[in-house]
Amino acid sequence: MERTYLPVLLLLGFVVMNAVMMLGLSHLTLRPRPTAVKQTPYESGIPALGDARERFSVKFYMVAVLFIIFDIETVFMIPWGAQFRQLSCAVPLAGNICPAGNTSFFGLAEMLVFIGILLVGFAYVWKKGALQWD
Amino acid sequence: MNNYVTIYPPQSTFLFVVFTIIKMVIVFTVYMVGVALLTLAERKISAWMQDRHGPNRVGKGWLQPAADGLKNIMKEETYPGAAYTPLFVLAPVLSFIPALVTWAVIPFAAPWASRWGMIDMVLAPLPVGFLFILAVSSLGVYGIVLAGWSSNNKYALLGGLRSSAQMVSYEIAMGMSTIPVLILAGNVSLNQIVQQQATMGWNVLNLTVAFFIFMIAAFAETNRLPFDLPEAESELITGYHTEYSAMKFSMFFIAEYANMVTASGLMATLFFGGWDIPFTLWDNIAPHTLLKTVITQGFFAFKVLFFVFFFMWIRWTLPRFRYDQLMSLGWRFLLPLALAYIVIIASVVLGIDAAGLWGRYIGPGRILSVANIILLAVNMVLCFLLFWVLDRGRIISPAYSRLERRDLERLRAMSAARIPVTAEAGD
């Protein structure tokens, strides 16, 4: 178990170390010398009006909410997909092959119900215009 | 499927850690140097496609990436006065880390049966392989959206918002397009997916439509043209990294190219057989010699570099999407298509199983699998339907869909009567 995930932790540590090192190196070579003009937001040379802390379109929130729903659908489908051939076989697979006459519609039907329920929501969202960006 | 543990004795933990560190340092170095060279390749290929020279001064062009890197270290770091500094500094790091951790589960060559035990040519052969990629690569969104927000610059904020919406939208299509791959492989481990393709034919033939969906989503996930709206330079200066300078800018740059390489590696692994050599099983069976490792590594590198070139090729071929078209393509076209495709493939696989054709081969050797031929036929029909029957304008709104019906008819009448269209107030 520790052997499976140890390399990922090692890599994570190594990459974090590199990131900090790069930032540190850059910071040490030349200290920032801020001036008033340098610190203004860059808007192609035009003096900036106000700042960026304003309201923005609700569409972005909507996409985030829809994303959660459909991403969870994807996550549910991953184990189903990986086990699909076993689910559609009434007996355990023998050498990765389903013995003749044992296929079942269980796996497909289960997922069709799940997809169907989410499709109703998808059709509603589409009809309501939540996917419309005009 | 190969089960190496039963064939070869396990390594001691010490050797395991030593080899892990060796692999890690080698691949990380290859990534960093490769990314540097890719910036050069990008500029050289751009130049080639536009009939100009490209960088040719510093060491005849070859040292240009080194010069750029050195310059970025020596530059002053600017901090906008209104920026929220902690997140402003953290954002490039948050973008850099997922980009360089994702490759950990991608197998890059055939395993090597050395005298120190079996060495998997993948940093971490996780049993959750593909889930790890989905989980880690989506963390990259945080870096971009926080960079956009913390800069306190309107263009950066817009870039960050656009990018986050785009990346989460296409992540769904990306995740769903890989489910048919999992149905065929029966596993989420990338090693098993490669093994399955070696015996059953590459997934680009088995699951052509899924490959197209995945490819489009990969372009959107890496923010490359034609989906580079987050940094559309003609609209948003450079988008979320407008305010970044020196090494922090470099880190975004490295992350972008590293993501591109990882996406190429994923396309190669999931759909082009990973390190598999086509038309032979020589590379997939014991004995696993060093020669096989080196040759399969070469094949993998070739596939990855081909896709990297493809990324650059597309950049100079297709114009940028409009934002509403981008969202329409993701939500109204790719998502339903991916869902329908999952159902179709599941049904076909069920049919193949019911007919007892799974694991059957025709012709000499275990090269042509029956399931492969059936899936290929289904995919050819689907591709034909998609490319010839479906019209892009019906689902992804063309420019005229924004007009009122009345205005549209007026414009059509004018163009039919060959009256020059004049601009009106409010157009």
Side-chain angles (χ1 to χ4, degrees), chain A residues 11-58:
Chain A
L11 177 68
L12 193 64
F14 189 66
V15 171
V16 171
M17 193 186 78
N18 266 280
V20 172
M21 219 168 63
M22 283 165 81
L23 278 185
L25 195 67
S26 169
H27 196 74
L28 288 179
T29 46
L30 199 63
R31 291 262 163 204
R33 269 171 267 167
T35 63
V37 176
K38 237 185 243 177
Q39 285 191 318
T40 53
Y42 178 72
E43 294 187 359
S44 296
I46 300 166
L49 278 176
D51 67 359
R53 300 281 178 265
E54 285 184 21
R55 293 186 294 175
F56 50 83
S57 173
V58 71

Side-chain angles (χ1 to χ4, degrees), chain B residues 49-188:
Chain B
M49 290 191 182
Q50 296 181 324
D51 198 16
R52 54 188 172 84
H53 286 298
N56 60 359
R57 292 302 156 101
V58 193
K60 294 203 185 300
W62 285 100
L63 293 178
Q64 188 67 44
D68 287 343
L70 199 63
K71 186 181 95 172
N72 271 330
I73 291 177
M74 303 305 289
K75 282 281 178 185
E76 177 187 340
E77 306 217 19
T78 54
Y79 293 88
Y84 181 59
T85 318
L87 286 182
F88 187 76
V89 175
L90 194 63
V93 180
L94 282 181
S95 170
F96 182 82
I97 292 171
L100 285 161
V101 170
T102 322
W103 59 265
V105 294
I106 299 179
F108 48 85
W112 174 34
S114 67
R115 41 192 179 112
W116 305 282
M118 197 72 180
I119 299 172
D120 265 321
M121 286 298 154
V122 45
L123 185 72
L126 296 186
V128 294
F130 185 70
L131 287 173
F132 176 83
I133 287 178
L134 275 187
V136 175
S137 66
S138 57
L139 291 178
V141 174
Y142 286 110
I144 288 174
V145 77
L146 288 180
W149 183 81
S150 65
S151 300
N152 206 350
N153 175 319
K154 293 180 201 99
Y155 294 102
L157 178 70
L158 279 175
L161 285 175
R162 279 186 180 188
S163 174
S164 58
Q166 168 183 335
M167 283 170 90
V168 298
S169 300
Y170 279 79
E171 203 178 304
I172 297 169
M174 192 177 201
M176 284 194 177
S177 68
T178 49
I179 286 166
V181 176
L182 307 180
I183 293 181
L184 291 191
N187 207 310
V188 287

Side-chain angles (χ1 to χ4, degrees), chain B residues 162-244:
Chain B
R162 279 186 180 188
S163 174
S164 58
Q166 168 183 335
M167 283 170 90
V168 298
S169 300
Y170 279 79
E171 203 178 304
I172 297 169
M174 192 177 201
M176 284 194 177
S177 68
T178 49
I179 286 166
V181 176
L182 307 180
I183 293 181
L184 291 191
N187 207 310
V188 287
S189 138
L190 290 176
N191 270 330
Q192 301 268 304
I193 291 172
V194 171
Q195 288 289 332
Q196 174 261 329
Q197 292 184 76
T199 54
M200 234 191 86
W202 290 359
N203 280 338
V204 66
L205 301 176
N206 293 329
L207 307 165
T208 319
V209 180
F211 169 65
F212 282 118
I213 301 173
F214 187 87
M215 193 178 67
I216 295 169
F219 273 83
E221 286 286 304
T222 48
N223 293 328
R224 292 282 301 184
L225 265 159
F227 304 116
D228 74 331
L229 288 109
E231 44 188 295
E233 64 268 17
S234 50
E235 303 164 23
L236 296 179
I237 310 179
T238 55
Y240 57 89
H241 54 62
T242 300
E243 293 292 349
Y244 282 89

Side-chain angles (χ1 to χ4, degrees), chain A residues 102-118:
Chain A
N102 282 310
T103 47
S104 82
F105 284 97
F106 175 71
L108 190 60
E110 284 285 300
M111 195 35 82
L112 277 180
V113 171
F114 184 55
I115 291 176
I117 292 170
L118 272 157

Side-chain angles (χ1 to χ4, degrees), chain B residues 274-289:
Chain B
W275 44 261
D276 180 49
I277 303 173
F279 308 119
T280 173
L281 282 177
W282 172 78
D283 52 322
N284 304 101
I285 49 175
H288 297 286
T289 57

